[in-house]
């Protein structure tokens, strides 16, 4: 069915199995020639993936202040493999899918877009944590503020829910996708919407313990501290949205030159 008024976006809802069967009718997956070509392509992609990971790691320095890209790349190295992760919209999940590499397949991951892209993230994280146990929620400051009333709900009391709060002063995703060439208006006022509310003060009002972090050493000790708690905690990291945008562009330019 078409989902947009212009009838350009079509959703296929018959599921992965039906999709694969439809392809199987068109292509003979059992032929030797097809299997050889598939193996050759797979080996090529694996080698290219290793080279991209090497170049990406060289662009990121664990000894520098945390940025959104390095956080997405390395955060899973600091938590147990059995701890699930929830990622809020919009930048956290995009960065995670882009930069986390094979670590993204090492655990259960959840996300929830909500009615406005950031609706209900803390509520869902609390629910998943109650059902599954200790977990990590990565969210931006707007998503945190938007659903902060979730702290009024019943919270996990026997295990931690670590909320890694990325504070980039508003909806940083809009500065990535909007530019003066596309939109001539005030991006901050109409889209990014930086707020004056201090998220640490807001968490403290709900009696949620908080820690500020700025380096990966802080993150390591913060997660150890968070895992020792018996309820929600907040790890608050401030990032520079303009620097992160330029870093993403630099990485993309470097990989484009390598791939081509």
């Amino acid at each position: 069915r078409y989902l947009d008024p212009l009838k350009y976006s079509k959703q296929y809802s018959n599921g992965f199995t039906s999709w694969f069967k439809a392809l199987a009718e068109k292509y003979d997956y059992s032929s030797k020639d097809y299997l050889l070509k598939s193996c050759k392509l797979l080996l090529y992609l694996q080698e290219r993936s290793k080279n991209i990971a090497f170049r990406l790691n060289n662009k990121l320095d664990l000894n520098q202040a945390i940025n959104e890209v390095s956080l997405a790349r390395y955060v899973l190295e600091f938590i147990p493999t059995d701890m699930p992760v929830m990622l809020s919209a919009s930048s956290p999940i995009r960065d995670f899918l882009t930069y986390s590499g094979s670590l993204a397949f090492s655990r259960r991951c959840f996300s929830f877009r909500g009615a406005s892209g950031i609706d209900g993230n803390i509520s869902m994280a609390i629910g998943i944590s109650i059902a599954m146990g200790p977990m990590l929620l990565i969210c931006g400051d707007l998503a945190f503020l938007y659903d902060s009333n979730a702290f009024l709900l019943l919270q996990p009391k026997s295990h931690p829910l670590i909320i890694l709060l990325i504070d980039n002063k508003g909806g940083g995703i809009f500065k990535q996708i909007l530019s003066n060439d596309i939109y001539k208006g005030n991006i901050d006022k109409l889209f990014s919407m930086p707020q004056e509310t201090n998220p640490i003060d807001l968490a403290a009002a709900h009696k949620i313990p908080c820690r500020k972090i700025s380096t990966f050493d802080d993150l390591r000790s913060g997660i150890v501290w968070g895992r020792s708690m018996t309820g929600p905690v907040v790890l608050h990291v401030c990032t520079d949205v303009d620097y992160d945008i330029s870093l993403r562009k630099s990485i993309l330019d470097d990989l484009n030159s390598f791939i081509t």
Side-chain angles (χ1 to χ4, degrees):
R1 60 193 178 93
Y2 292 100
L3 302 179
D4 63 305
L6 298 179
K7 307 300 182 183
Y8 287 147
S9 176
K10 191 172 184 180
Q11 179 182 13
Y12 185 83
S13 303
N14 291 342
F16 178 79
T17 303
S18 298
W19 174 79
F20 184 81
K21 287 180 178 179
L23 285 182
E25 294 176 358
K26 184 176 181 180
Y27 301 102
D28 183 8
Y29 293 122
S30 63
S31 69
K32 184 177 181 181
D33 182 62
Y34 181 87
L35 293 175
L36 289 174
K37 289 181 179 180
S38 297
C39 290
K40 184 177 180 180
L41 175 61
L42 179 59
L43 291 174
Y44 169 79
L45 292 175
Q46 287 177 329
E47 187 62 29
R48 184 58 62 92
S49 179
K50 291 179 182 178
N51 291 334
I52 290 175
F54 177 78
R55 296 177 76 90
L56 182 57
N57 290 336
N58 283 342
K59 277 277 187 179
L60 304 173
D61 188 350
L62 282 172
N63 296 317
Q64 295 181 348
I66 291 177
N67 57 68
E68 293 180 42
V69 176
S70 62
L71 192 61
R73 182 70 178 166
Y74 297 117
V75 66
L76 294 184
E77 296 183 4
F78 294 87
I79 63 175
T81 55
D82 60 347
M83 180 179 283
V85 175
M86 180 175 165
L87 301 127
S88 76
S90 287
S91 292
I93 190 168
R94 285 175 168 86
D95 285 338
F96 187 81
L97 291 172
T98 304
Y99 301 111
S100 62
S102 59
L103 285 176
F105 302 102
S106 64
R107 69 198 64 240
R108 293 287 301 275
C109 296
F110 301 87
S111 187
F112 179 65
R113 183 158 183 81
S116 303
I118 55 174
D119 183 32
N121 282 276
I122 297 177
S123 301
M124 183 172 180
I126 289 175
I128 295 174
S129 178
I130 291 174
M132 298 189 63
M135 71 172 296
L136 174 70
L137 166 64
I138 304 175
C139 72
D141 52 305
L142 280 188
F144 182 86
L145 295 174
Y146 197 86
D147 197 35
S148 60
N149 281 347
F151 291 126
L152 300 174
L153 301 172
L154 179 67
Q155 301 170 12
K157 299 298 184 183
S158 60
H159 58 264
L161 167 60
I162 302 175
I163 301 173
L164 181 53
L165 171 57
I166 303 173
D167 190 346
N168 58 9
K169 308 304 178 187
I173 185 64
F174 293 107
K175 288 191 175 182
Q176 296 184 55
I177 63 178
L178 297 175
S179 68
N180 290 334
D181 295 332
I182 300 175
Y183 185 78
K184 303 296 183 181
N186 189 321
I187 293 176
D188 278 345
K189 183 177 181 180
L190 297 177
F191 294 97
S192 298
M193 296 186 298
Q195 303 295 308
E196 295 183 359
T197 304
N198 186 322
I200 290 184
D201 290 343
L202 182 59
H206 292 282
K207 299 182 179 180
I208 305 297
C210 300
R211 267 195 181 187
K212 284 191 174 184
I213 62 174
S214 59
T215 68
F216 279 99
D217 285 339
D218 294 341
L219 178 62
R220 181 181 288 105
S221 61
I223 287 178
V224 171
W225 167 76
R227 290 179 60 204
S228 70
M229 307 299 279
T230 56
V233 301
V234 173
L235 301 179
H236 180 233
V237 55
C238 292
T239 59
D240 184 334
V241 64
D242 294 321
Y243 172 81
D244 288 335
I245 289 173
S246 65
L247 177 60
R248 292 184 185 95
K249 185 179 185 303
S250 174
I251 290 172
L252 181 61
D253 291 343
D254 178 65
L255 292 180
N256 280 337
S257 64
F258 161 68
I259 291 173
T260 57

